[in-house]
Amino acid sequence: MRPSTTSHIEIRKYNHPTGGWGSLKSLIRKARAQGLLTSGIWSTLLKQNKADGYMCVSCSWAKPAEPRPFEFCENGAKATIWDQTKRRCGPEFFAAHSVNELLDWPDHDLEKQGRLLEPMRYNEVTDKYEPVAWEAAFRDIGEELSKLDPKSVVFYTSGRASLEASFMYQLFARIYGSSNLPDSSNMCHESTSVGLPESIGSPVGTVQLEDFSRCDLMFFFGHNTGVTAPRLLHPIEEARQRGIPVITFNPLPERGLKRFKNPQNPIEMLSPGAGTKMSSDFFQIRGGGDIAAMTGIAKAVLALDDAARRTGAPRVLDTAFIEEHTHGFDAFEAYLRRTPWEKIDLRSGIARADLEHVADVYSKASAVIGNYGMGLTQHRHGTENVHMLCNLLLMRGNIGKPGAGVSPLRGHSNVQGQRTVGISEKPELVPLDKFAEFYRFEPPREKGRDTVETCEGVIDGSVRAFIGLGGNFVRAVPETGLVEDAWRHLRLHVQIATKLNRSHLIPGAVTYLLPCLSRIEKDLQATGEQHVSVEDSTACIHGSFGYRTPAGPNLLSEPRIVAELAKATVAGKSSIPWDEWVADYARVRDEIERCYPDHFKDFNKRFLAPGGFHRDIKASKRVWQTPNKKANFKPPTMLETDPDIDVSQSDVLTLITVRSNDQFNTTVYGYRDRLRGIDGTRMVLLMNEQDIERLGLHDGQEIDLESAAGDNVERRVHGLRVTPYSIPRGDCAGYYPELNPLIPLWHRAEKAHVPAAKSVPVRVVTSAPSR
Ligand SMILES: Nc1nc2c(c(=O)[nH]1)N[C@H]1C(S)=C(S)[C@@H](COP(=O)(O)OP(=O)(O)OC[C@H]3O[C@@H](n4cnc5c(=O)[nH]c(N)nc54)[C@H](O)[C@@H]3O)O[C@H]1N2
Ligand SMILES: Nc1nc2c(c(=O)[nH]1)N[C@H]1C(S)=C(S)[C@@H](COP(=O)(O)OP(=O)(O)OC[C@H]3O[C@@H](n4cnc5c(=O)[nH]c(N)nc54)[C@H](O)[C@@H]3O)O[C@H]1N2
Ligand SMILES: [Mo]
């Protein structure tokens, strides 16, 4: 595969705010490149995240009931522009290029071909995709599936598909006999979905949008807000203007949490100032050092409480809350008291005085929100990170009261919702009895495969078929080398997609590419135009109404494709009237309500209201759905930054894989990571200057990176450029997915199995000639 670089490379410091003119310029450039400058794209964007419009296909951040005139951000607009491109990737393209040739193209060039137009079948003899009629594709896939053992078939979902499509998809898989329903969430917030229920009895966060205007302190752990959920910059800006402290922990000095210039505020845009200072305190923590940092803060809070007790001042701990609502405080307190400061300082890389300062600010705040992202979840101790943040919040009763709560910032626009409506490999999370009773079939009861287990099954041959409802599975997962090689032994490989990506180029014996409508497009079915729905990060459900003309006449909607696959595979095996559901998605919503009455009461009546409706999250009312009916303090088992990394070997570095401002996951919009000042290449290794010197390297040198996991598996990425950057010593950073070949499959969060993509053991190799 050719490296992700261009001929012009420029790397320099970027000190401008996020937002501002840079953001607008970037959008205009993107619209021009996709042939959209005069195509009504700007009026389309006015519909984004509005009650009468469509919900953005980028991130899952909350959508307000009273939207701004432009309720979109730079990255949401880029996602729309990329999705609604004028470019088309039809049969002529596939006739002109063999799959083997395309395998050499960078991710950006593949998706850049534009929207897929026709169902295609891979022909092994010509090594090309060839057009096929929809009916023939469905019939063949159905026949292939009926010859396979359902336990060997995987039904993957990337977090974009609607609640309606997802609900139907998981029913199809279960009627067929498979609970192998991994989701992109398995690579993302699964540490949350496992960790939060143990702490507070809820798999999702407890805050709503209103809480952001009521809080008096916000924490940000491991989230790159300015890039991955930029609309959240507005509530932060408002909080800062109210004088509220925002305390951030991140190994990289991410611009969005440093400074922001609101593109929707003409006065701010025209004034020469540098925008709003977003974090009152920004700590460049060591990668994986969050448990240590939070331990330090909690230890210092305890010391403040000790002092209060001595002097008779009001207690710093919320003792009434701890007494009435929690379990396990004593063990947690003992853990804090016995953990020495030296270890805390060493592991977090933050000085004791700084952590004491944070504790001081924290102890004065009465309503605190703990926001976090992949910097906490994608670690070996990802679930313990989540526990630890809950511990910190619970100490002062900061869960289940206005203005406070735990706030996992989810990724894909409906990733949280998919889990809500049954996309899960864990049977205990799904109302199987209801499915059995309502739709008259016997669902499998055993646990299915998650993402990592799917990869293991592909490698050992026990997985025989893969159906992907969106996504770019092979590119997004770890251990790229082994997974790609083994993938070719699959019997059946089906991808439902909008655009061409690398996963589509790794065929099995029988391979189909099925093009679908995007959520931004009108979806016309027998009873008229259809709505779909999605759930945002704050457990709020919104309707979404397609606005643009479909990219091509032969595209089918995701619900229709799922229904046709089901009819071709499991006809007569349930009472589901697939055609009637497709004719009118309101029927599907009625069924979601029937299966999940607590969360979806009056679904069809409520989901189009401005601002949507909230699911009933019990923990936000201090009802704890844990086995002991309490919120649980859970002391961590380790302070180590990563137990798989041998820090005693001085040449081993901890690699953090990150997203650029010019990508959405494996979708690479371009090579301009404006906010980090990196232009023209993604093949960089951001390193601390002292490490560069210590390892005898120099700025701009071309190096290889290899795995230092100590398991004798060769993993290597060629041609990275040494780039001095502000990052703690011992850590280095580079882009996902280019660096995924370096992540061992077994290097993953305990229990949750999220690949530990934020702490990968690596070593620099200098055999490549330096420039
Ligand atoms: N524009 C854009 N938006 C997106 C996406 C995208 O790719 N592009 N992806 C979507 C998806 S699916 C997701 S899951 C979210 C992801 O959004 P984020 O959660 O923001 O994910 P990342 O950008 O991978 O990493 C987050 C931050 O964690 C920091 N970090 C790394 N290691 C550590 C650590 O050990 N401790 C701490 N405290 N910080 C650490 C990194 O420096 C980085 O700034 O965004 C969603 N939105
Ligand atoms: N090293 C490393 N690896 C990571 C991560 C990391 O931070 N570091 N992050 C992980 C995370 S958080 C996630 S969520 C995963 C992402 O993994 P995935 O969700 O599998 O990947 P995406 O890149 O979001 O998928 C992009 C593809 O989705 C298809 N698509 C786009 N829109 C639609 C649509 O409307 N319908 C359908 N059917 N298809 C559509 C297009 O064909 C596009 O090429 O990657 C994970 N991998
Ligand atoms: Mo994600």
Side-chain angles (χ1 to χ4, degrees), residues 58-61 185 188-194 196 202-205 223 228-229 372-374 407-417 419 535-538:
S58 190
C59 80
S60 58
W61 176 241
S185 173
C188 182
H189 264 292
E190 192 64 15
S191 309
T192 298
S193 309
V194 171
L196 275 190
S202 165
V204 302
H223 190 255
T228 60
Y372 68 97
M374 299 297 100
S407 168
L409 298 162
R410 299 274 173 169
H412 271 294
S413 51
N414 192 36
V415 64
Q416 186 165 312
R419 292 304 207 194
E535 174 179 339
D536 70 27
S537 243
T538 61

Side-chain angles (χ1 to χ4, degrees), residues 111 156 158 160 184 187-188 374 378 412 469-473 476 496-499 501 504 516-518 558 657 659 664-667 736 740 743 757-758:
E111 282 213 25
Y156 173 69
S158 159
R160 198 173 283 197
S184 56
M187 297 178 255
C188 182
M374 299 297 100
Q378 292 178 335
H412 271 294
L469 181 57
N472 187 2
F473 186 86
I496 302 161
T498 50
K499 286 199 165 180
N501 65 45
H504 307 157
C516 65
L517 290 176
S518 122
E558 289 175 326
T657 59
R659 297 161 159 78
F664 187 90
N665 296 341
T666 67
T667 295
Y736 139 66
N740 283 34
I743 311 176
K758 297 289 186 267

